[in-house]
Amino acid sequence: MATETEAAIERPFDAEVGRLLDLVVHSLYSDREIFLRELVANAADAIDRRRFLALSDEALALPAEAAIRIRADHGARTITIADDGIGMTAEDLASHLGTIARSGTRAFTDALAEARPEDRPTLIGQFGVGFYSAFMVAEKVEVISRRAGTTGANAWVSDGRGGGYRITHAEREAAGTDVILHLKADATEYLDGHRLETIIRKWADHVAVPISIERDGKLVKANEGAALWRRPKSEIKEEEYADFYRHLGHLFDSPWATIHWRAEGTVDFAALLFIPGHNPFQATETDRDSHVRLHVRRMFITDSAKMLPSWLRFVEGVVDTEDLPLNVSREMLQSTPVLGRIRKALVNRVLAELKSRSKDETYKEFCAQFGAVLKEGIYDDVDHRNEIASLVRFSSTASDAGTSFDDYIERMKPGQDAIYYLTGEDPAQLAASPLLEGVRAHGFEVLLLADSIDFFWPERLGEYREKKLVHVAQASDLFEAKPVPADMEQLIKSVKEILGDTVSDVRVSFRLTDSPAVLTPGSNAPDLAMQRLMRRAGRQVFASAPVLEINPGHALVERMVKRGESGQSLDDVARLLFDLARIQEGEPPVDTARFVRSLAAYLVV
Ligand code: ADP
Ligand code: MG
């Protein structure tokens, strides 16, 4: 404990520290448990420094069991964080704990001062302010420290207020530092050993130095210190990777891909990423953010730094960098070039992995699980659009689910200059769509796109390897517009009259071979399947009524012409024709009872 001597130093805090402490003390905290992360990080840094300096000075050698020990004293209402690190001299205490030396901290305090007062607590709570975080939970902080290689110790004490701090001589058996927090009355929850352990597990589980917590007079180890990503790849067994993957994502299967590497150069980081074996997410998933964890020197910082774009949100893993301060602010998370570089490297690495695995037997399964998410990137990400397009796989009229754009182009017929596709909700229904008939008659393959995102990206992509993407409903240039026979014209007029507002037009179509009729969207209206999807999602759809296209070569239509000419009513059969086209689209007849009646009547004629 500190002892009074005449050599005591009493000093006010540096102006910046004073300002910071004021913010810390006068704010309410959302996540004040991070004080422990900050103090443990400092302790681990001090041990690392001592280990490093001992390389050139034996007198500084670390004790065999160098560790961080956390002890709660219920009677005194204190917690002590003790370490065997390098320690501080009286001058160190004054300069390190009395001024803000680190530029990271200074930038942080600036951001903090500029933030709206109501935003400050979360800023401090989430990202910490280094050593001064201690004052979030403590009304008084004592630091007793003995610099390695020296004999005397010193105590620094402060209440974090206007009074500044006081440094006196003290005793400490060995080199290292004790940080003693005299807890505020509203922070006694931190006296609970279990609570402390939970906090350590969350933030500091991967710190390399052993951290123990005293419980019932015994020290219990509270961290694993594994940081698998920091170990060389060659030493890690597949099972260790799989265990870590399961632990990370709360998953039970094995990863489909494990991507582990170290980047050195403009930015230093280690990354360990996994592509899951199956998609654990719910269909109703609303969280589109990547939750790849960001660590700074093994210490967990956040899993909401959006380390990967949302179209790679299924990737799990950890990134750990040396190049950021622990107390990185939220602004920094968004704007620091270091993170920008890391994010870029991660995306490129994942895309490279997908490319190299794209010939694998299992790639199709990967696409079935995550293809729909990946395709969001074609829509969202201008920079990677073409690369993603080359990686996604489709069903088509010529092949099962494993077709790529490149495969398609390879199979294109002479004279074909576009990539045709059809969008809808159900692959089987798409394969039976009348819209395919005409394109098929040309012998052209059509991609069958049945994910909801497929309604959006093809138009954005526009073309692939200079081949235009064309929706089959828009492929009218494939069909010669023959002159409409006079008898057909009369029929069209009658049908239009009968159907009224339920259609925006009735037309003769030359794209149909087998079906009597087909519905296509009215002008400027979205895909009919998409309209349905939107309606089902409870959204209002402002779209013109569909167009009914009828096939002049179909026997039913020919019969309608005759019926019309002989003066018989077309009322029932026109509605029947419209309903058949609706059913083909996956929609019920307009009036089911009437449909059944007139179909039955028609069948017995
Ligand atoms: P940072 O860790 O970002 O430098 P802090 O506010 O957390 O900022 O700590 C300020 C400084 O105080 C550290 O850089 C270090 O020099 C010193 N320090 C804090 N805790 C310890 C400790 N346990 N042992 C040795 N030095 C320490
Ligand atoms: Mg620190």
Side-chain angles (χ1 to χ4, degrees):
M1 279 274 101
T3 52
E4 299 281 330
T5 72
E6 40 306 57
I9 312 172
E10 254 173 83
R11 267 193 217 153
F13 284 112
D14 200 53
E16 279 189 301
V17 177
R19 193 164 58 123
L20 175 59
L21 281 169
D22 219 46
L23 289 169
V24 170
V25 175
H26 292 107
S27 300
L28 290 165
Y29 313 100
S30 56
D31 203 5
R32 58 182 184 171
E33 68 181 34
I34 58 100
F35 78 91
L36 199 55
R37 179 188 78 186
E38 298 294 332
L39 298 179
V40 165
N42 286 349
D45 288 348
I47 291 174
D48 284 348
R49 277 208 61 213
R50 183 165 172 187
R51 182 179 293 120
F52 175 75
L53 293 173
L55 294 175
S56 52
D57 184 353
E58 252 174 61
L60 304 181
L62 278 169
E65 284 166 16
I68 300 167
R69 287 169 296 273
I70 303 170
R71 194 169 52 241
D73 181 333
H74 288 256
R77 213 211 271 170
T78 58
I79 3 181
T80 302
I81 296 103
D83 68 65
D84 301 312
I86 186 71
M88 286 175 274
T89 62
E91 292 77 52
D92 291 340
L93 285 168
S95 66
H96 297 337
L97 306 185
T99 59
I100 294 180
R102 284 199 52 145
S103 54
T105 311
R106 192 169 299 143
F108 183 75
T109 36
D110 289 345
L112 203 58
E114 280 161 26
R116 292 177 310 173
E118 61 270 32
D119 289 339
R120 281 175 199 154
T122 30
L123 275 180
I124 301 170
Q126 252 177 299
F127 300 104
V129 284
F131 171 77
Y132 305 105
S133 298
F135 289 101
M136 296 198 291
V137 297
E139 57 194 15
K140 183 167 92 175
V141 177
E142 280 178 88
V143 180
I144 298 165
S145 196
R146 174 166 154 191
R147 163 84 196 191
T150 69
T151 47
N154 294 281
W156 176 102
V157 62
S158 172
D159 62 4
R161 288 162 196 273
Y165 57 89
R166 184 181 160 88
I167 297 171
T168 52
H169 289 300
E171 302 289 324
R172 200 180 191 276
E173 235 174 75
T177 302
D178 301 311
V179 177
I180 304 163
L181 309 179
H182 296 260
L183 294 177
K184 293 179 180 175
D186 68 357
T188 49
E189 63 194 280
Y190 300 109
L191 292 171
D192 175 10
H194 291 284
R195 180 71 205 277
L196 292 172
E197 187 175 338
T198 308
I199 301 172
I200 294 297
R201 291 250 176 239
K202 173 169 174 192
W203 300 100
D205 201 23
H206 295 280
V207 168
V209 180
I211 304 170
S212 48
I213 294 172
E214 192 178 286
R215 209 191 289 148
D216 310 323
K218 276 204 309 258
L219 281 170
V220 184
K221 192 166 175 224
N223 69 326
E224 293 304 327
L228 196 64
W229 59 89
R230 289 276 182 175
R231 283 168 44 198
K233 221 166 140 174
S234 56
E235 286 175 15
I236 304 174
K237 294 194 204 71
E238 198 173 325
E239 210 33 50
E240 287 178 277
Y241 278 131
D243 280 343
F244 182 61
Y245 157 80
R246 287 177 202 125
H247 168 77
L248 254 191
H250 310 290
L251 300 167
F252 301 99
D253 62 344
S254 294
W256 176 70
T258 301
I259 319 171
H260 183 193
W261 80 107
R262 251 208 98 89
E264 271 152 12
T266 45
V267 54
D268 285 3
F269 66 90
L272 175 51
L273 302 179
F274 299 103
I275 299 175
H278 75 281
N279 190 344
F281 306 111
Q282 303 296 316
T284 54
E285 158 205 21
T286 50
D287 182 4
R288 291 183 67 238
D289 292 342
S290 162
H291 290 296
V292 165
R293 296 160 60 94
L294 174 66
H295 288 239
V296 169
R297 287 176 291 127
R298 292 167 171 259
M299 194 67 81
F300 175 59
I301 301 297
T302 176
D303 62 1
S304 52
K306 301 188 187 162
M307 295 310 295
L308 283 169
S310 62
W311 51 272
L312 286 176
R313 62 182 172 273
F314 52 85
V315 177
E316 301 272 353
V318 174
V319 180
D320 188 356
T321 180
E322 312 267 334
D323 294 345
L324 283 176
L326 261 192
N327 50 4
V328 49
S329 69
R330 230 179 359 207
E331 280 81 0
M332 277 175 82
L333 281 184
Q334 279 153 22
S335 63
T336 173
V338 171
L339 276 178
R341 276 188 215 111
I342 297 178
R343 289 193 184 103
K344 204 163 162 188
L346 298 186
V347 175
N348 289 334
R349 188 67 185 72
V350 173
L351 287 176
E353 177 74 14
L354 291 178
K355 187 167 182 201
S356 83
R357 299 278 308 268
S358 65
K359 299 268 180 283
D360 284 13
E361 208 28 56
T362 55
Y363 188 69
K364 218 158 101 178
E365 184 51 27
F366 160 77
C367 287
Q369 298 291 334
F370 301 112
V373 180
L374 201 60
K375 281 186 280 191
E376 291 176 19
I378 307 180
Y379 186 83
D380 279 348
D381 195 319
V382 191
D383 296 337
H384 298 100
R385 180 165 294 163
N386 290 307
E387 212 175 338
I388 302 166
S390 74
L391 290 169
V392 290
R393 297 290 179 266
F394 314 101
S395 304
S396 83
T397 50
S399 134
D400 60 0
T403 286
S404 66
F405 274 127
D406 294 298
D407 298 336
Y408 181 103
I409 290 174
E410 202 136 294
R411 287 194 290 260
M412 274 168 73
K413 293 282 179 301
Q416 179 182 0
D417 53 9
I419 297 172
Y420 295 101
Y421 69 93
L422 175 60
T423 43
E425 291 174 274
D426 172 46
Q429 195 187 326
L430 283 180
S433 170
L435 287 173
L436 294 174
E437 292 170 10
V439 189
R440 216 186 237 150
H442 278 76
F444 295 168
E445 180 176 354
V446 179
L447 299 176
L448 304 174
L449 310 181
D451 287 319
S452 21
I453 186 70
D454 295 332
F455 292 118
F456 302 97
W457 63 262
E459 243 175 283
R460 278 276 172 110
L461 183 62
E463 55 179 45
Y464 182 82
R465 280 173 46 196
E466 293 172 5
K467 308 281 185 230
K468 261 188 92 162
L469 267 62
V470 177
H471 191 289
V472 286
Q474 253 95 59
S476 39
D477 59 326
L478 284 182
F479 315 104
E480 221 182 312
K482 295 172 200 143
V484 177
D487 52 356
M488 278 303 293
E489 258 180 71
Q490 183 50 46
L491 177 67
I492 297 277
K493 205 168 149 248
S494 313
V495 174
K496 221 184 279 187
E497 259 166 34
I498 294 163
L499 295 179
D501 285 349
T502 47
V503 291
S504 58
D505 199 10
V506 179
R507 288 180 205 145
V508 171
S509 169
F510 299 101
R511 71 165 97 230
L512 300 173
T513 57
D514 304 333
S515 304
V518 67
L519 290 173
T520 54
S523 60
N524 295 325
D527 196 303
L528 293 175
M530 180 153 102
Q531 292 186 31
R532 261 198 310 283
L533 207 71
M534 286 163 71
R535 260 182 231 115
R536 222 178 299 138
R539 289 213 257 143
Q540 224 173 332
V541 181
F542 300 98
S544 45
V547 173
L548 180 69
E549 297 190 10
I550 58 182
N551 175 1
H554 197 278
L556 176 62
V557 176
E558 284 170 357
R559 208 158 144 192
M560 286 172 78
V561 171
K562 288 211 187 90
R563 237 182 130 112
E565 281 169 354
S566 69
Q568 284 177 273
S569 162
L570 287 172
D571 205 45
D572 280 342
V573 69
R575 287 173 205 279
L576 201 58
L577 189 69
F578 180 58
D579 281 340
L580 289 175
R582 280 177 63 97
I583 292 169
Q584 184 77 61
E585 264 295 315
E587 287 190 55
V590 178
D591 175 344
T592 311
R594 182 172 184 167
F595 170 77
V596 170
R597 231 179 313 128
S598 46
L599 180 62
Y602 217 76
L603 288 174
V604 293
V605 171

